[in-house]
Amino acid sequence: MIIGHIGVRKGSKGVPGKNFRPICGRPLIDWSLDQLLDHPEVGTVVVSTDSEEILAHALARGCLDIGLRPAHLATDTAGKWEVWQHALAAAEALAGPAEAFLDLDATSPLRLPEDITNALALFRAERPDMVMSCCEARKNPYFNLVEPDETGALHVSKPLPGGVVARQQAPTVYEHAASTYVVAPDYLRRARSLFEGRVIPYLMPPERCVDIDTEFDFKLVEFLMREAGRDG
């Protein structure tokens, strides 16, 4: 049994109320919620939130009722990992043991259903502790990411002997794309953070990895969704 999960708070500093704000005619959360509810491999779906409105909406859509998340997990400093651990425990108490914990980030609605299917297939084939959505980074710390030293002078963030004069010579670097995660339940129970175990990438094209964190992101994602014909 696969537990599908979406974690959303009612507050947001960058884009106030973004998780329930309409985008392309529907609440932002619904674009990810639909993908979980419609996916044939997902056995049950839970929404972890501190919002009574969002929880009522999720329950009306058919999600399992795990109640509101505890107050200490509803702050803007609460970590994703602890929210996942709480949601897993609450969901398994009601629905039984899970084969996998599948988290979709509501602020990344550009993923496609096949991204979920492919991430689950990779998880089953490789048996890692976690599959994490990634895309190839546009900027590379071995080539064109720089940082200042104590004098303010800039240097390449990760210099290599002899230097790197072309991006193609630099080691491959991925961006952690907040979109799709598949986690082994045993790992989620015992670990204290994302990267303690074997975490492998599920590669997505960068145009499906745009995460809404600012008003500009919101407008960009809405434009891309409409361009793709995804308008509710």
Side-chain angles (χ1 to χ4, degrees), residues 196-218:
E196 287 183 21
R198 181 172 178 251
V199 179
I200 66 172
Y202 167 64
L203 293 181
M204 296 171 61
E207 63 268 20
R208 297 210 298 271
C209 292
V210 183
D211 180 52
I212 297 174
D213 196 44
T214 66
E215 286 288 346
F216 174 78
D217 297 333
F218 199 98

PDB file of all heavy atoms in Angstrom, residues 196-218:
ATOM      1  N   GLU A 196      20.482  10.988   5.355  1.00  0.00           N
ATOM      2  CA  GLU A 196      21.227  10.030   6.170  1.00  0.00           C
ATOM      3  C   GLU A 196      21.430   8.700   5.454  1.00  0.00           C
ATOM      4  O   GLU A 196      22.369   7.962   5.752  1.00  0.00           O
ATOM      5  CB  GLU A 196      20.496   9.785   7.494  1.00  0.00           C
ATOM      6  CG  GLU A 196      20.586  10.946   8.466  1.00  0.00           C
ATOM      7  CD  GLU A 196      19.923  10.633   9.790  1.00  0.00           C
ATOM      8  OE1 GLU A 196      19.752   9.433  10.108  1.00  0.00           O
ATOM      9  OE2 GLU A 196      19.566  11.578  10.507  1.00  0.00           O
ATOM     10  N   GLY A 197      20.551   8.363   4.541  1.00  0.00           N
ATOM     11  CA  GLY A 197      20.618   7.072   3.864  1.00  0.00           C
ATOM     12  C   GLY A 197      20.990   7.214   2.403  1.00  0.00           C
ATOM     13  O   GLY A 197      21.619   8.197   1.988  1.00  0.00           O
ATOM     14  N   ARG A 198      20.598   6.230   1.624  1.00  0.00           N
ATOM     15  CA  ARG A 198      20.878   6.237   0.180  1.00  0.00           C
ATOM     16  C   ARG A 198      19.728   6.940  -0.537  1.00  0.00           C
ATOM     17  O   ARG A 198      18.637   6.388  -0.683  1.00  0.00           O
ATOM     18  CB  ARG A 198      21.053   4.812  -0.342  1.00  0.00           C
ATOM     19  CG  ARG A 198      21.377   4.753  -1.837  1.00  0.00           C
ATOM     20  CD  ARG A 198      21.735   3.353  -2.292  1.00  0.00           C
ATOM     21  NE  ARG A 198      21.997   3.327  -3.727  1.00  0.00           N
ATOM     22  CZ  ARG A 198      21.191   2.765  -4.631  1.00  0.00           C
ATOM     23  NH1 ARG A 198      20.077   2.142  -4.244  1.00  0.00           N
ATOM     24  NH2 ARG A 198      21.486   2.803  -5.916  1.00  0.00           N
ATOM     25  N   VAL A 199      19.994   8.145  -0.968  1.00  0.00           N
ATOM     26  CA  VAL A 199      19.001   8.963  -1.658  1.00  0.00           C
ATOM     27  C   VAL A 199      19.434   9.078  -3.114  1.00  0.00           C
ATOM     28  O   VAL A 199      20.568   9.501  -3.400  1.00  0.00           O
ATOM     29  CB  VAL A 199      18.884  10.361  -1.018  1.00  0.00           C
ATOM     30  CG1 VAL A 199      17.860  11.209  -1.765  1.00  0.00           C
ATOM     31  CG2 VAL A 199      18.519  10.232   0.450  1.00  0.00           C
ATOM     32  N   ILE A 200      18.560   8.708  -4.044  1.00  0.00           N
ATOM     33  CA  ILE A 200      18.921   8.740  -5.464  1.00  0.00           C
ATOM     34  C   ILE A 200      17.990   9.689  -6.219  1.00  0.00           C
ATOM     35  O   ILE A 200      16.863   9.934  -5.792  1.00  0.00           O
ATOM     36  CB  ILE A 200      18.889   7.328  -6.099  1.00  0.00           C
ATOM     37  CG1 ILE A 200      17.463   6.764  -6.119  1.00  0.00           C
ATOM     38  CG2 ILE A 200      19.838   6.388  -5.360  1.00  0.00           C
ATOM     39  CD1 ILE A 200      17.365   5.451  -6.907  1.00  0.00           C
ATOM     40  N   PRO A 201      18.478  10.233  -7.347  1.00  0.00           N
ATOM     41  CA  PRO A 201      17.669  11.216  -8.068  1.00  0.00           C
ATOM     42  C   PRO A 201      16.678  10.582  -9.034  1.00  0.00           C
ATOM     43  O   PRO A 201      16.987   9.591  -9.700  1.00  0.00           O
ATOM     44  CB  PRO A 201      18.721  12.023  -8.834  1.00  0.00           C
ATOM     45  CG  PRO A 201      19.808  11.020  -9.115  1.00  0.00           C
ATOM     46  CD  PRO A 201      19.842  10.116  -7.917  1.00  0.00           C
ATOM     47  N   TYR A 202      15.502  11.159  -9.091  1.00  0.00           N
ATOM     48  CA  TYR A 202      14.614  10.937 -10.229  1.00  0.00           C
ATOM     49  C   TYR A 202      14.688  12.208 -11.056  1.00  0.00           C
ATOM     50  O   TYR A 202      14.290  13.282 -10.601  1.00  0.00           O
ATOM     51  CB  TYR A 202      13.167  10.680  -9.789  1.00  0.00           C
ATOM     52  CG  TYR A 202      12.203  10.773 -10.955  1.00  0.00           C
ATOM     53  CD1 TYR A 202      12.296   9.875 -12.004  1.00  0.00           C
ATOM     54  CD2 TYR A 202      11.257  11.786 -11.030  1.00  0.00           C
ATOM     55  CE1 TYR A 202      11.456   9.976 -13.110  1.00  0.00           C
ATOM     56  CE2 TYR A 202      10.420  11.896 -12.121  1.00  0.00           C
ATOM     57  CZ  TYR A 202      10.524  10.985 -13.165  1.00  0.00           C
ATOM     58  OH  TYR A 202       9.694  11.102 -14.256  1.00  0.00           O
ATOM     59  N   LEU A 203      15.246  12.105 -12.262  1.00  0.00           N
ATOM     60  CA  LEU A 203      15.518  13.288 -13.062  1.00  0.00           C
ATOM     61  C   LEU A 203      14.282  13.724 -13.840  1.00  0.00           C
ATOM     62  O   LEU A 203      13.636  12.926 -14.522  1.00  0.00           O
ATOM     63  CB  LEU A 203      16.668  13.028 -14.027  1.00  0.00           C
ATOM     64  CG  LEU A 203      18.032  12.805 -13.364  1.00  0.00           C
ATOM     65  CD1 LEU A 203      19.103  12.582 -14.423  1.00  0.00           C
ATOM     66  CD2 LEU A 203      18.398  13.990 -12.486  1.00  0.00           C
ATOM     67  N   MET A 204      13.976  15.010 -13.703  1.00  0.00           N
ATOM     68  CA  MET A 204      12.877  15.627 -14.420  1.00  0.00           C
ATOM     69  C   MET A 204      13.422  16.790 -15.244  1.00  0.00           C
ATOM     70  O   MET A 204      14.448  17.374 -14.892  1.00  0.00           O
ATOM     71  CB  MET A 204      11.819  16.152 -13.426  1.00  0.00           C
ATOM     72  CG  MET A 204      11.150  15.074 -12.607  1.00  0.00           C
ATOM     73  SD  MET A 204      10.100  15.742 -11.270  1.00  0.00           S
ATOM     74  CE  MET A 204       8.881  16.684 -12.200  1.00  0.00           C
ATOM     75  N   PRO A 205      12.761  17.149 -16.329  1.00  0.00           N
ATOM     76  CA  PRO A 205      13.209  18.327 -17.072  1.00  0.00           C
ATOM     77  C   PRO A 205      12.983  19.585 -16.247  1.00  0.00           C
ATOM     78  O   PRO A 205      12.009  19.663 -15.482  1.00  0.00           O
ATOM     79  CB  PRO A 205      12.341  18.312 -18.335  1.00  0.00           C
ATOM     80  CG  PRO A 205      11.151  17.503 -17.978  1.00  0.00           C
ATOM     81  CD  PRO A 205      11.605  16.493 -16.976  1.00  0.00           C
ATOM     82  N   PRO A 206      13.854  20.570 -16.373  1.00  0.00           N
ATOM     83  CA  PRO A 206      13.741  21.761 -15.519  1.00  0.00           C
ATOM     84  C   PRO A 206      12.424  22.503 -15.668  1.00  0.00           C
ATOM     85  O   PRO A 206      11.959  23.128 -14.722  1.00  0.00           O
ATOM     86  CB  PRO A 206      14.936  22.627 -15.942  1.00  0.00           C
ATOM     87  CG  PRO A 206      15.421  22.058 -17.225  1.00  0.00           C
ATOM     88  CD  PRO A 206      15.053  20.632 -17.239  1.00  0.00           C
ATOM     89  N   GLU A 207      11.795  22.419 -16.837  1.00  0.00           N
ATOM     90  CA  GLU A 207      10.533  23.132 -17.021  1.00  0.00           C
ATOM     91  C   GLU A 207       9.389  22.536 -16.211  1.00  0.00           C
ATOM     92  O   GLU A 207       8.340  23.158 -16.058  1.00  0.00           O
ATOM     93  CB  GLU A 207      10.150  23.180 -18.509  1.00  0.00           C
ATOM     94  CG  GLU A 207       9.904  21.837 -19.160  1.00  0.00           C
ATOM     95  CD  GLU A 207      11.145  21.245 -19.808  1.00  0.00           C
ATOM     96  OE1 GLU A 207      12.269  21.663 -19.448  1.00  0.00           O
ATOM     97  OE2 GLU A 207      10.984  20.362 -20.667  1.00  0.00           O
ATOM     98  N   ARG A 208       9.576  21.325 -15.654  1.00  0.00           N
ATOM     99  CA  ARG A 208       8.562  20.737 -14.777  1.00  0.00           C
ATOM    100  C   ARG A 208       8.966  20.824 -13.303  1.00  0.00           C
ATOM    101  O   ARG A 208       8.284  20.255 -12.455  1.00  0.00           O
ATOM    102  CB  ARG A 208       8.291  19.276 -15.153  1.00  0.00           C
ATOM    103  CG  ARG A 208       7.719  19.100 -16.544  1.00  0.00           C
ATOM    104  CD  ARG A 208       6.813  17.889 -16.666  1.00  0.00           C
ATOM    105  NE  ARG A 208       7.446  16.626 -16.416  1.00  0.00           N
ATOM    106  CZ  ARG A 208       8.060  15.879 -17.341  1.00  0.00           C
ATOM    107  NH1 ARG A 208       8.132  16.307 -18.585  1.00  0.00           N
ATOM    108  NH2 ARG A 208       8.605  14.716 -17.029  1.00  0.00           N
ATOM    109  N   CYS A 209      10.049  21.544 -13.026  1.00  0.00           N
ATOM    110  CA  CYS A 209      10.570  21.606 -11.660  1.00  0.00           C
ATOM    111  C   CYS A 209      10.489  23.002 -11.055  1.00  0.00           C
ATOM    112  O   CYS A 209      11.158  23.280 -10.060  1.00  0.00           O
ATOM    113  CB  CYS A 209      12.023  21.123 -11.636  1.00  0.00           C
ATOM    114  SG  CYS A 209      12.215  19.366 -11.989  1.00  0.00           S
ATOM    115  N   VAL A 210       9.699  23.879 -11.643  1.00  0.00           N
ATOM    116  CA  VAL A 210       9.574  25.232 -11.101  1.00  0.00           C
ATOM    117  C   VAL A 210       8.725  25.174  -9.840  1.00  0.00           C
ATOM    118  O   VAL A 210       7.596  24.691  -9.846  1.00  0.00           O
ATOM    119  CB  VAL A 210       8.943  26.189 -12.125  1.00  0.00           C
ATOM    120  CG1 VAL A 210       8.892  27.603 -11.561  1.00  0.00           C
ATOM    121  CG2 VAL A 210       9.717  26.160 -13.437  1.00  0.00           C
ATOM    122  N   ASP A 211       9.276  25.680  -8.745  1.00  0.00           N
ATOM    123  CA  ASP A 211       8.616  25.657  -7.441  1.00  0.00           C
ATOM    124  C   ASP A 211       8.134  27.059  -7.093  1.00  0.00           C
ATOM    125  O   ASP A 211       8.880  28.028  -7.249  1.00  0.00           O
ATOM    126  CB  ASP A 211       9.605  25.144  -6.391  1.00  0.00           C
ATOM    127  CG  ASP A 211       9.004  25.076  -5.008  1.00  0.00           C
ATOM    128  OD1 ASP A 211       7.926  24.480  -4.857  1.00  0.00           O
ATOM    129  OD2 ASP A 211       9.619  25.617  -4.069  1.00  0.00           O
ATOM    130  N   ILE A 212       6.901  27.182  -6.638  1.00  0.00           N
ATOM    131  CA  ILE A 212       6.343  28.498  -6.324  1.00  0.00           C
ATOM    132  C   ILE A 212       6.809  28.942  -4.943  1.00  0.00           C
ATOM    133  O   ILE A 212       6.405  28.372  -3.925  1.00  0.00           O
ATOM    134  CB  ILE A 212       4.808  28.472  -6.383  1.00  0.00           C
ATOM    135  CG1 ILE A 212       4.344  28.143  -7.806  1.00  0.00           C
ATOM    136  CG2 ILE A 212       4.232  29.814  -5.942  1.00  0.00           C
ATOM    137  CD1 ILE A 212       2.837  27.965  -7.926  1.00  0.00           C
ATOM    138  N   ASP A 213       7.643  29.970  -4.928  1.00  0.00           N
ATOM    139  CA  ASP A 213       8.133  30.518  -3.668  1.00  0.00           C
ATOM    140  C   ASP A 213       7.957  32.031  -3.610  1.00  0.00           C
ATOM    141  O   ASP A 213       8.069  32.623  -2.536  1.00  0.00           O
ATOM    142  CB  ASP A 213       9.609  30.151  -3.484  1.00  0.00           C
ATOM    143  CG  ASP A 213      10.090  30.331  -2.054  1.00  0.00           C
ATOM    144  OD1 ASP A 213       9.362  29.930  -1.117  1.00  0.00           O
ATOM    145  OD2 ASP A 213      11.186  30.894  -1.866  1.00  0.00           O
ATOM    146  N   THR A 214       7.693  32.648  -4.762  1.00  0.00           N
ATOM    147  CA  THR A 214       7.502  34.094  -4.845  1.00  0.00           C
ATOM    148  C   THR A 214       6.323  34.394  -5.765  1.00  0.00           C
ATOM    149  O   THR A 214       5.830  33.509  -6.484  1.00  0.00           O
ATOM    150  CB  THR A 214       8.755  34.789  -5.414  1.00  0.00           C
ATOM    151  OG1 THR A 214       8.929  34.383  -6.786  1.00  0.00           O
ATOM    152  CG2 THR A 214      10.003  34.446  -4.612  1.00  0.00           C
ATOM    153  N   GLU A 215       5.890  35.653  -5.778  1.00  0.00           N
ATOM    154  CA  GLU A 215       4.818  36.058  -6.683  1.00  0.00           C
ATOM    155  C   GLU A 215       5.237  35.868  -8.142  1.00  0.00           C
ATOM    156  O   GLU A 215       4.424  35.484  -8.985  1.00  0.00           O
ATOM    157  CB  GLU A 215       4.432  37.516  -6.438  1.00  0.00           C
ATOM    158  CG  GLU A 215       3.632  37.742  -5.168  1.00  0.00           C
ATOM    159  CD  GLU A 215       2.204  37.216  -5.263  1.00  0.00           C
ATOM    160  OE1 GLU A 215       1.737  36.917  -6.381  1.00  0.00           O
ATOM    161  OE2 GLU A 215       1.557  37.092  -4.210  1.00  0.00           O
ATOM    162  N   PHE A 216       6.501  36.119  -8.435  1.00  0.00           N
ATOM    163  CA  PHE A 216       6.992  35.886  -9.801  1.00  0.00           C
ATOM    164  C   PHE A 216       6.864  34.415 -10.174  1.00  0.00           C
ATOM    165  O   PHE A 216       6.429  34.082 -11.290  1.00  0.00           O
ATOM    166  CB  PHE A 216       8.450  36.340  -9.928  1.00  0.00           C
ATOM    167  CG  PHE A 216       9.061  35.990 -11.256  1.00  0.00           C
ATOM    168  CD1 PHE A 216       8.785  36.739 -12.381  1.00  0.00           C
ATOM    169  CD2 PHE A 216       9.907  34.895 -11.375  1.00  0.00           C
ATOM    170  CE1 PHE A 216       9.332  36.401 -13.618  1.00  0.00           C
ATOM    171  CE2 PHE A 216      10.461  34.547 -12.600  1.00  0.00           C
ATOM    172  CZ  PHE A 216      10.179  35.313 -13.725  1.00  0.00           C
ATOM    173  N   ASP A 217       7.253  33.515  -9.252  1.00  0.00           N
ATOM    174  CA  ASP A 217       7.118  32.082  -9.507  1.00  0.00           C
ATOM    175  C   ASP A 217       5.660  31.720  -9.797  1.00  0.00           C
ATOM    176  O   ASP A 217       5.367  30.913 -10.684  1.00  0.00           O
ATOM    177  CB  ASP A 217       7.595  31.266  -8.305  1.00  0.00           C
ATOM    178  CG  ASP A 217       9.061  31.457  -7.985  1.00  0.00           C
ATOM    179  OD1 ASP A 217       9.837  31.768  -8.908  1.00  0.00           O
ATOM    180  OD2 ASP A 217       9.420  31.295  -6.803  1.00  0.00           O
ATOM    181  N   PHE A 218       4.749  32.294  -9.011  1.00  0.00           N
ATOM    182  CA  PHE A 218       3.328  31.993  -9.188  1.00  0.00           C
ATOM    183  C   PHE A 218       2.874  32.368 -10.601  1.00  0.00           C
ATOM    184  O   PHE A 218       2.208  31.584 -11.290  1.00  0.00           O
ATOM    185  CB  PHE A 218       2.499  32.749  -8.145  1.00  0.00           C
ATOM    186  CG  PHE A 218       1.118  32.193  -7.930  1.00  0.00           C
ATOM    187  CD1 PHE A 218       0.857  31.341  -6.867  1.00  0.00           C
ATOM    188  CD2 PHE A 218       0.083  32.511  -8.797  1.00  0.00           C
ATOM    189  CE1 PHE A 218      -0.410  30.818  -6.674  1.00  0.00           C
ATOM    190  CE2 PHE A 218      -1.194  31.990  -8.610  1.00  0.00           C
ATOM    191  CZ  PHE A 218      -1.440  31.149  -7.542  1.00  0.00           C
TER     192      PHE A 218
END
